[in-house]
Amino acid sequence: MQTSIVIAGFGGQGVLFAGQLLAHAALDARKHVTWIPSYGPEMRGGTAHCTVIISDRPVGSPLARHPEIVLAMNQPSAVKYAPLIGLGGLLVVNTSLAEIPATRPDVRLIPVAANEVAEAAGDLRLANVVLLGALLATRPILPAPVVEKALERYLPERHRHLLDANRAAFRAGYASQDEQTRLAA
Amino acid sequence: MTIKLWKGNEAIAEAAVRAGADAYFGYPITPQTELLEYLSSRMPALGRVFLQAESEIGAIHMVYGAASAGKRAFTTSSSPGISLMQEGLSYIAASEVPCVLVDIMRGGPGLGNIQPSQADYFQMTRSAGHGDYHPLVLAPATVQEAVDLMSISFDLAFLYRHLVVLLADGILGQMMEPVEMPPLRTLEDQMPGWALTGAVGRPPRNITSLYLGAEQLEGLNLRLQAKLAQIAAYEQRWESYRTDDAEQLIVAFGTVGRIARSAVDQAREQGQRVGLFRPISLWPFPAQPLAQLSRHVDSILVVEMNAGQMREDVERIVGGPVHFLGRMGGMIPTPEEIVEALPMKPKAQVHRNGSNGAAPVKRIKERSYAPSA
């Protein structure tokens, strides 16, 4: 079993951290895992993204041409990555900043107004964690409590004061997907 | 021991610290700058030397100086920066002082780009500078292996009083992976007998790369060649993966080695008997084990992120042409692409023509698609 996840958005939206959080949690769940950022010049003023591979076996390529899961935090990311999603994949899209891309019958779409959910949970900047919550509610690639625990363990020192808000945002993202959605996914 | 997620560059830096590095001199360049950044706080905190030089040329010559004083000195850079270091590397090799160099390769030639590449295989395995020598070149495929190899690099450099190169690429430098770090080694204040430590109360010592007499310089070269022969005898490293019953063999190193491992698994799932030979020491190249394996397979496919530099070594060792898949300029082969490039197709599709496989095809794929990095 191997899952590839691309998280993409503007620089500053926390896409790299969201990926690292997932990677830390995967390690805590005793999975094989790799995380790799985009480190090209596009980071300066454009979109940023990272790829996380979670697997039961040693990971070969840390990149995925057709990721199973894409978290698109803004419009350019949704446009760029939605068509690349692998067959039967999942697109979690931040509808606060992106239009829902043209539907693909094989791709399951999870629209989340992540900015609004994050703001209601305490801080607009936590939209990244909201999307992670929504992802894990619809496709439990890792147990949600492990990811929540990883927040406690790996939130950088300078953001410690936002730990409770992070936890609230993660739970709000999880709760944004009702039972029906969860079962359907 | 705990396993933690480490970014490649930072993990290599920490491994050097734990292996007892006394001094680091370097200059920033993507995709290896985190090494500098990490060491700029970590080394001074332990009372060791960190210095950002004025250039790569400055950095390598500072390493030369510190190494001549018997210190565990190292530097790191990426391809264009390594080119600038050539002079110093050659002087270090000629002076027979220990030195560890990390090259996090990026796309070339020229300033190229900052994406991962393996195009410095020739540069590193052939000489890494003018004159007759090879550095000992180690190529990790995972962040853990980079740490493990970094941990022994200073020991090897001091054992042979030679240049040891850790050759990785932008992927290994930038990616995070679980790593088990070795413990911090306590430094023994034991100066090697050749180190320049001030000649008070003892006869002076001399470390130089200048031998004006032809006879003397040939003497140095003979000594270097004898040392290289010894390194070649003792320091070959490689990994074989699922080769026991393999009909087709993939040969790949570093990042491509790990991608090829996935390709082997995928091909096996399709019923193809494929194995992987991954040289870990690129010089000395593990020739004997590859030659032996090559006698038991029907075809060999070399995969690299360059135009076929290691392929030349492989063809020399197996004594004939091999199949090749190469990506360049920062493009990264996928496991699917490697499976597709395997010369023998799954049994059901093979049209037997009496020969033991298709004619060798050497090709550089020019198809392009958006990579995800």
Side-chain angles (χ1 to χ4, degrees):
Chain A
M1 197 24 206
Q2 178 159 309
T3 311
S4 50
I5 306 120
V6 165
I7 307 177
F10 290 124
Q13 278 189 303
V15 300
L16 300 187
F17 174 73
Q20 284 182 6
L21 186 66
L22 216 47
H24 281 298
L27 177 57
D28 291 344
R30 302 189 175 276
K31 300 279 190 182
H32 292 276
V33 64
T34 60
W35 171 96
I36 190 163
S38 55
Y39 63 94
E42 77 272 14
M43 281 174 73
R44 292 158 194 110
T47 58
H49 76 270
C50 66
T51 306
V52 178
I53 314 269
I54 299 172
S55 180
D56 294 327
R57 285 196 297 201
V59 180
S61 179
L63 299 164
R65 202 196 294 189
H66 300 296
E68 276 112 51
I69 297 170
V70 168
L71 264 64
M73 292 199 64
N74 65 3
Q75 181 68 19
S77 303
V79 170
K80 183 172 178 189
Y81 291 104
L84 295 178
I85 297 174
L87 213 64
L90 181 77
L91 173 66
V92 184
V93 60
N94 178 12
T95 53
S96 308
L97 290 177
E99 287 165 27
I100 294 173
T103 46
R104 258 174 61 185
D106 64 305
V107 169
R108 176 151 179 81
L109 183 74
I110 308 293
V112 187
N115 286 27
E116 284 76 23
V117 176
E119 209 161 8
D123 197 312
L124 170 64
R125 290 173 295 173
L126 302 176
N128 56 346
V129 183
V130 168
L131 288 179
L132 275 188
L135 164 65
L136 293 173
T138 45
R139 195 160 293 186
I141 49 173
L142 294 169
V146 175
V147 179
E148 191 179 305
K149 187 86 189 153
L151 261 178
E152 288 162 30
R153 292 180 61 178
Y154 303 107
L155 197 66
E157 212 47 58
R158 63 182 191 282
H159 292 141
R160 276 276 134 193
H161 62 286
L162 289 173
L163 176 58
D164 285 341
N166 266 279
R167 204 183 283 122
F170 180 71
R171 289 187 179 186
Y174 193 91
S176 73
Q177 305 306 305
D178 57 28
E179 198 74 19
Q180 214 60 24
T181 320
R182 274 179 237 165
L183 288 176
Chain B
M1 290 264 195
T2 51
I3 296 177
K4 275 176 55 184
L5 267 195
W6 281 87
K7 190 170 198 180
N9 283 333
E10 294 174 352
I12 292 168
E14 178 62 21
V17 167
R18 294 189 184 210
D22 293 303
Y24 174 87
F25 309 94
Y27 191 79
I29 179 172
T30 308
Q32 64 86 48
T33 298
E34 291 90 351
L35 264 151
L36 239 86
E37 190 185 2
Y38 185 89
L39 291 165
S40 67
S41 62
R42 183 74 167 132
M43 291 291 273
L46 292 168
R48 305 183 193 175
V49 173
F50 169 90
L51 202 150
Q52 182 176 325
E54 73 277 21
S55 72
E56 287 88 346
I57 302 172
I60 191 63
H61 286 90
M62 290 174 193
V63 169
Y64 184 17
S68 298
K71 295 296 183 185
R72 292 186 160 217
F74 75 119
T75 186
T76 65
S77 192
S78 180
S79 310
I82 301 287
S83 291
L84 282 169
M85 293 182 180
Q86 302 286 298
E87 179 194 27
L89 293 172
S90 179
Y91 282 36
I92 284 168
S95 302
E96 296 188 271
V97 292
C99 164
V100 174
L101 169 73
V102 180
D103 182 1
I104 306 292
M105 292 181 281
R106 58 185 248 181
L111 208 43
N113 63 18
I114 59 177
Q115 300 304 323
S117 164
Q118 298 182 322
D120 301 348
Y121 179 93
F122 279 158
Q123 187 186 33
M124 282 300 132
T125 60
R126 268 32 185 191
S127 74
H130 63 279
D132 248 337
Y133 72 97
H134 304 272
L136 205 174
V137 184
L138 302 171
T142 63
V143 178
Q144 179 70 61
E145 193 173 47
V147 165
D148 295 343
L149 293 174
M150 188 71 221
S151 301
I152 58 166
S153 288
F154 284 111
D155 295 335
L156 292 171
F158 271 74
L159 177 62
Y160 296 108
R161 288 173 61 182
H162 196 50
L163 185 54
V164 174
V165 177
L166 189 71
L167 192 66
D169 61 63
I171 283 200
L172 281 165
Q174 292 296 321
M175 73 188 289
M176 288 178 96
E177 250 185 323
V179 168
E180 185 174 334
M181 275 285 167
L184 185 71
R185 218 190 291 179
T186 39
L187 292 166
E188 282 173 39
D189 225 4
Q190 208 174 30
M191 273 297 147
W194 47 262
L196 306 184
T197 54
V200 178
R202 63 160 172 80
R205 297 168 184 160
N206 190 18
I207 289 180
T208 183
S209 73
L210 179 67
Y211 293 80
L212 283 176
E215 219 171 296
Q216 283 76 18
L217 186 54
E218 190 180 48
L220 166 73
N221 272 286
L222 289 170
R223 195 164 71 239
L224 281 178
Q225 291 306 315
K227 177 164 78 179
L228 293 176
Q230 200 181 24
I231 293 175
Y234 290 119
E235 304 302 341
Q236 294 183 22
R237 290 174 166 77
W238 70 90
E239 183 196 34
S240 299
Y241 179 64
R242 304 185 81 165
T243 51
D244 282 356
D245 63 341
E247 295 170 341
Q248 304 191 74
L249 186 68
I250 300 173
V251 185
F253 73 95
T255 290
V256 183
R258 67 182 292 154
I259 297 172
R261 201 183 155 99
S262 295
V264 166
D265 291 340
Q266 281 185 18
R268 289 251 170 198
E269 276 159 26
Q270 298 168 14
Q272 292 175 280
R273 284 198 252 158
V274 180
L276 169 69
F277 182 78
R278 182 172 68 85
I280 297 170
S281 60
L282 300 182
W283 200 95
F285 197 96
Q288 198 57 38
L290 175 61
Q292 213 152 3
L293 258 180
S294 72
R295 282 182 222 115
H296 302 287
V297 296
D298 297 325
S299 77
I300 295 177
L301 170 69
V302 173
V303 189
E304 298 177 78
M305 290 196 290
N306 62 43
Q309 299 185 18
M310 180 180 67
R311 176 184 55 181
E312 292 192 7
D313 280 338
V314 173
E315 288 182 337
R316 174 177 52 80
I317 289 161
V318 306
V322 296
H323 299 259
F324 178 67
L325 169 68
R327 300 301 307 255
M328 292 174 289
M331 299 299 289
I332 302 151
T334 62
E336 294 77 17
E337 202 176 348
I338 297 174
V339 171
E340 203 181 300
L342 283 167
M344 294 160 69
K345 298 304 159 200
K347 281 276 184 294
Q349 295 169 26
V350 167
H351 302 286
R352 287 273 172 210
N353 59 4
S355 75
N356 63 345
V361 181
K362 292 180 191 175
R363 55 180 173 157
I364 307 283
K365 288 208 171 178
E366 287 177 333
R367 188 181 59 195
S368 75
Y369 56 84
S372 50

